[in-house]
Amino acid sequence: MPWRRHRRSAPALDERAQADAWQIISLLLDYPDERLLTLLPVLRESANGLPPGVGDRLTGVVDHLEGTPLGELQAQYVDTFDVTRRCALHLTYFLHGDTRKRGAALVQFKQAYRRAGVELADEGAELPDHLCVVLELGATVDAATAWRLLNDHRVGVELLHTALKGKASPWLPVVQALRATLPALGDDDEQALARLIAQGPPQEDVGIDQSPYTHDPAVEEHLARTSGTTCGSAAADPLRPTPPQALTPGPTIPVGAPR
C-alpha cells in the first residue's frame, strides 16, 4: 500500500488551523440535526479564519445547510451516504471490504485510541474507523494519531472524494477541504487507486455488491485518465449504521465545537 508512506509527512496547516479544520469537517459530515444547525454560526466564524482552499469550501457548505430545510438536508444526506457503499464514511471498508481483515483493522483503530488515552463513549453506536470519529480525535485529543490513521487510509479518503464528485453531492467541498489538509497522492498512488476502483474492496462471499465503486461518472473519468478501463454496474447497498457519537476524552478536553 504505497499511500502509507504519507503518514510520516508533515501537515500543511499549523496545529491550531488543522484542529479547527478537522473539527468543522467532522461536524459537517455528521447527520444533520437541530444541534448542527445551532452550531452553524460558530462553524462559519471558525472557517473564516482558515486558509483558502479549506475555509472557503467549508463556509460554502455552511451556506447550503443554512439555506436548506432540515428535512431536505436529511434526505440529501441519506441519498449521499446511506444508499451505496461507494460513499462510505468507514475508512477500513475501502481497503478490506466485509472481510475478517477488516475486523483486525478495526481492532488496530481501537488500540490506537486507547494508546491516545481515549475510548468511544458508546462503542455500539459507531465503529472506530468512522471518518467523523477519527477527525474528532485529531481535533481534540491526539493530532499525531489521527494523522497516521488518515494517511494509512488516504486511499479511502480519495475514493470517497471520487464518489461524491460523481454524485455532485453538496458534501463534496467538505471532503475537498479534508484533502487539502492531507498529502497529495503520487503517480503510483493514482495507479493503485485506479485498480482499487476497478476491483472494489476484497470480498468474502458477502453477496451484497460485487463492484461497489462502479457506475459512477467520476470513477469512469478517473479510470479513463489513469488506466483506460471502465466500470460495470453496481447493486444498491443497505443503509449505514447509526450516526457517530462524540469521543469522550476526559473532562478537560472540549468536544463538539471548534476551539
Side-chain angles (χ1 to χ4, degrees):
M1 293 183 290
W3 47 83
R4 282 185 176 273
R5 68 172 181 267
H6 294 304
R7 70 183 185 182
R8 295 187 176 87
S9 56
L13 303 182
D14 62 50
E15 182 178 350
R16 174 62 182 272
Q18 178 178 276
D20 286 349
W22 285 0
Q23 181 69 89
I24 298 170
I25 294 167
S26 173
L27 291 166
L28 292 181
L29 284 179
D30 202 355
Y31 183 76
D33 56 16
E34 293 287 353
R35 175 179 175 272
L36 176 60
L37 297 185
T38 63
L39 289 174
L40 291 180
V42 179
L43 301 185
R44 179 188 299 281
E45 180 180 359
S46 183
N48 283 334
L50 296 174
V54 179
D56 53 341
R57 285 172 168 146
L58 297 177
T59 55
V61 176
V62 171
D63 290 340
H64 174 73
L65 297 180
E66 287 183 333
T68 308
L70 179 58
E72 185 177 340
L73 285 175
Q74 292 173 336
Q76 290 175 348
Y77 188 94
V78 169
D79 180 66
T80 299
F81 297 108
D82 292 358
V83 174
T84 171
R85 295 187 183 184
R86 288 174 298 187
C87 296
L89 291 174
H90 293 92
L91 295 176
T92 62
Y93 176 76
F94 294 105
L95 291 183
H96 304 296
D98 291 316
T99 67
R100 285 165 287 187
K101 288 185 178 180
R102 187 181 178 205
L106 290 173
V107 170
Q108 292 176 349
F109 269 76
K110 287 185 178 181
Q111 291 173 340
Y113 290 169
R114 288 169 183 165
R115 286 193 297 269
V118 299
E119 291 187 359
L120 295 181
D122 183 0
E123 293 192 0
E126 191 52 83
L127 296 175
D129 66 331
H130 195 285
L131 182 55
C132 294
V133 178
V134 178
L135 292 169
E136 178 87 7
L137 173 77
T140 63
V141 182
D142 190 330
T145 294
W147 177 263
R148 184 176 68 254
L149 293 172
L150 287 168
N151 283 290
D152 279 354
H153 295 269
R154 179 67 177 83
V155 68
V157 175
E158 202 66 21
L159 283 166
L160 175 61
H161 171 262
T162 301
L164 292 177
K165 185 177 179 181
K167 292 175 71 69
S169 168
W171 280 270
L172 172 62
V174 184
V175 177
Q176 290 174 329
L178 173 60
R179 290 169 75 239
T181 72
L182 300 173
L185 298 182
D187 291 340
D188 52 350
D189 300 316
E190 292 285 357
Q191 294 172 8
L193 177 63
R195 288 194 298 270
L196 187 56
I197 290 174
Q199 298 169 6
Q203 300 288 324
E204 264 182 3
D205 299 327
V206 293
I208 296 176
D209 186 346
Q210 298 302 316
S211 301
Y213 307 130
T214 60
H215 240 20
D216 187 315
V219 169
E220 294 174 0
E221 177 186 350
H222 178 90
L223 288 172
R225 186 178 71 252
T226 58
S227 64
T229 60
T230 56
C231 296
S233 61
D237 289 317
L239 296 181
R240 67 189 284 277
T242 306
Q245 302 295 319
L247 290 169
T248 307
T252 62
I253 302 175
V255 175
R259 295 176 295 173

